Amino acid sequence: MIQFYFLSILLNGLAGYTLVVGTGEEDTSLDTGFRLSLQNESCRLILGVLTIVMGFLKILSSVQGDVQVIGDLIPALAGFLAGFVLVFEYYRSRSTLEPEHTEKIEQLLIHNKKWIGFIALAAAALHFLFPTVLFL
């Protein structure tokens, strides 16, 4: 479905941008207003959940002329991963659970969230530029 294709590109791009930029408190630039809206924890949670759902729906649907299931594998996995990082950050900030229980996930995902953001941005860009290429 073309709508899922567009939403996958949009959500992967937004989630990747959010992970790369972080909280946006370091500097002030022209895109400060956009960064401030992505600082909101609720906005990041909603974006994470939507990106995970779209990654799941992207596996289930394919664009005409694409190979079933594996045709959109990289954008779907990038959406799962970026969305999970955003949801996990929200969970970690709200949880009363001791950090030692989530230490492995935190070390693997949170410390590498900029790289995961770059992967999501690259998946979105490649998915946009090459719509019928296998794995994109």
Side-chain angles (χ1 to χ4, degrees):
M1 242 181 162
I2 298 297
Q3 294 88 347
F4 288 154
Y5 194 85
F6 171 72
L7 285 174
S8 173
I9 292 169
L10 180 71
L11 291 174
N12 277 345
L14 280 175
Y17 177 78
T18 303
L19 291 175
V20 168
V21 171
T23 58
E25 296 172 355
E26 312 67 63
D27 61 342
T28 57
S29 62
L30 292 176
D31 62 345
T32 302
F34 186 64
R35 282 187 183 177
L36 289 176
S37 67
L38 293 177
Q39 281 183 11
N40 186 355
E41 287 182 346
S42 299
C43 180
R44 292 169 73 99
L45 174 68
I46 291 169
L47 179 62
V49 169
L50 287 175
T51 307
I52 290 172
V53 169
M54 188 49 57
F56 178 71
L57 291 175
K58 198 64 183 146
I59 287 179
L60 296 179
S61 69
S62 65
V63 178
Q64 187 175 8
D66 226 359
V67 177
Q68 299 292 330
V69 178
I70 63 171
D72 296 323
L73 185 64
I74 292 176
L77 292 178
F80 277 136
L81 195 57
F84 183 76
V85 170
L86 289 171
V87 170
F88 185 75
E89 279 183 333
Y90 180 83
Y91 167 77
R92 189 182 60 156
S93 70
R94 300 287 180 152
S95 175
T96 59
L97 195 64
E98 296 173 13
E100 65 222 21
H101 295 295
T102 60
E103 182 178 332
K104 297 226 188 246
I105 296 173
E106 187 173 335
Q107 185 173 351
L108 180 66
L109 294 179
I110 302 300
H111 294 302
N112 296 319
K113 73 179 183 177
K114 282 200 178 199
W115 289 108
I116 294 170
F118 284 128
I119 290 170
L121 282 172
L126 291 173
H127 202 49
F128 177 75
L129 294 174
F130 307 109
T132 58
V133 174
L134 187 62
F135 295 115
L136 295 177

